[in-house]
Every structure is written in C-alpha cells, then in structure tokens.
Amino acid sequence: MSQSTDPVGELHLRTQAFPADANPAGDIFGGWVLSQMDIAGAIYAKKRCHGRTVTVAIDSMSFIQPVFVGDVVCCYVSAHKEGNTSLAVKVEVWAVRENDTKRVKVTEGIFKYVAVDGNRKPRSINSKEVQE
Ligand SMILES: CC(C)(COP(=O)(O)OP(=O)(O)OC[C@H]1O[C@@H](n2cnc3c(N)ncnc32)[C@H](O)[C@@H]1OP(=O)(O)O)[C@@H](O)C(=O)NCCC(=O)NCCS
C-alpha cells in the first residue's frame, strides 16, 4: 500500500500507546487501535447527528504498519457517506514514533454509525436527539 504524506480529515483523538496495550509479541494489539478509531468516529458522528449514535458496522479495516509502545497515535475523521439514519466515516490513524517527529499512516477504516433516539430507535441524522 502506498504511503500518503498527509492525513485526510480532522483530528478527533490523540493518545499514546502504553505497554498495557501490547500483544504478547510486544507490538500494540490491533483491537486497541480499532477501539481508538471507533471512539474518534463516534465523536464525529455524535456532533454531525446532533446527539446519540451507535456503531452499526465496520465496513473495512486495513492495518498498514505496526503501532509500537510509546507511539503517539492520532485519529483523523472525514465524512464518507450519509444515509437517512446512518453515517459512514473514514478514520485514518497516524503514529509519531518515539524519538521521531515524522508521522506514518498505520491504519485506516470505514466505520458506520446510526443516529438513535431515547428509545434506541433510528432517527434522521438531521433531527435532534429527543429523550423519551
Ligand atoms: C443500529 C440499530 C439501532 C439499527 O436498528 P435497525 O432496526 O436495524 O434499523 P434499520 O433497519 O431501520 O436501519 C437503520 C440504518 O442502519 C443501517 N444498517 C442497519 N443494519 C446495518 C448493518 N448490519 N450494516 C450496515 N448498515 C446497517 C441501515 O441501512 C439504515 O441506514 P439508512 O437509514 O441511512 O438507510 C440496531 O441494529 C442496534 O441497536 N444495534 C446495536 C448497536 C450497538 O450496540 N453498537 C455497539 C455499541 S455502540
């Protein structure tokens, strides 16, 4: 996969990978990266949909390069596709290695969220969440 030079989207989450997030081989566990991406996508979706959303699907996920303990992990989110009650977003993860200033794209994926009302039922992404 070719390496682009700049992230696409807006920064929605920035954190650091800790030893507790590693797999038995010492690299960062893919499930930890995926959960950071889901959090970042959900922050974007909640704002766009004016209230609560739930994750309904992960349509694609590519692990491009490993994440290491100590990396600063940044999740960038952009709109991918809007439906009636659902919204798909692209999440790119870029890592800044410890003792380095250069960032590298490590992961990307498409996450889909559904806007829900107070009864957890789908609502238009353009409506405001109403507690029922
Ligand atoms: C998301 C949820 C509310 C959808 O309920 P539902 O009765 O299936 O709703 P609908 O059939 O009316 O579909 C609603 C939207 O979701 C989309 N959708 C539903 N199931 C989907 C799936 N498996 N994959 C992709 N999109 C899906 C539909 O295409 C529709 O989008 P649109 O309105 O933009 O066209 C329900 O499936 C749910 O609560 N899932 C659990 C969510 C969850 O716990 N997530 C993890 C923690 S946040």
Side-chain angles (χ1 to χ4, degrees):
M1 205 171 295
S2 66
Q3 175 74 56
S4 39
T5 50
D6 289 309
V8 173
E10 230 181 285
L11 181 65
H12 276 69
L13 187 145
R14 187 167 180 260
T15 188
Q16 188 171 34
F18 275 36
D21 309 316
N23 63 27
D27 293 346
I28 294 303
F29 175 48
W32 179 83
V33 179
L34 191 148
S35 72
Q36 305 309 310
M37 296 170 79
D38 190 19
I39 292 167
I43 291 170
Y44 177 103
K46 185 175 182 185
K47 189 172 176 201
R48 165 62 188 91
C49 300
H50 316 289
R52 186 172 176 200
T53 62
V54 292
T55 311
V56 71
I58 299 172
D59 288 340
S60 71
M61 186 78 195
S62 303
F63 292 99
I64 302 159
Q65 294 207 34
V67 178
F68 302 120
V69 171
D71 285 0
V72 173
V73 170
C74 302
C75 298
Y76 295 84
V77 185
S78 56
H80 180 69
K81 193 174 175 190
E82 292 193 350
N84 177 28
T85 66
S86 71
L87 168 73
V89 302
K90 182 177 186 195
V91 184
E92 291 188 2
V93 184
W94 290 69
V96 181
R97 308 293 191 200
E98 214 170 13
N99 307 319
D100 202 349
T101 52
K102 209 172 60 183
R103 60 188 171 192
V104 287
K105 183 156 76 170
V106 291
T107 308
E108 64 184 16
I110 304 291
F111 288 65
K112 193 170 180 185
Y113 301 89
V114 174
V116 293
D117 63 19
N119 290 320
R120 299 170 192 267
K121 298 293 177 210
R123 62 179 171 84
S124 163
I125 60 171
N126 295 313
S127 67
K128 284 219 163 28
E129 180 193 356
V130 179
Q131 295 292 335
E132 291 163 22

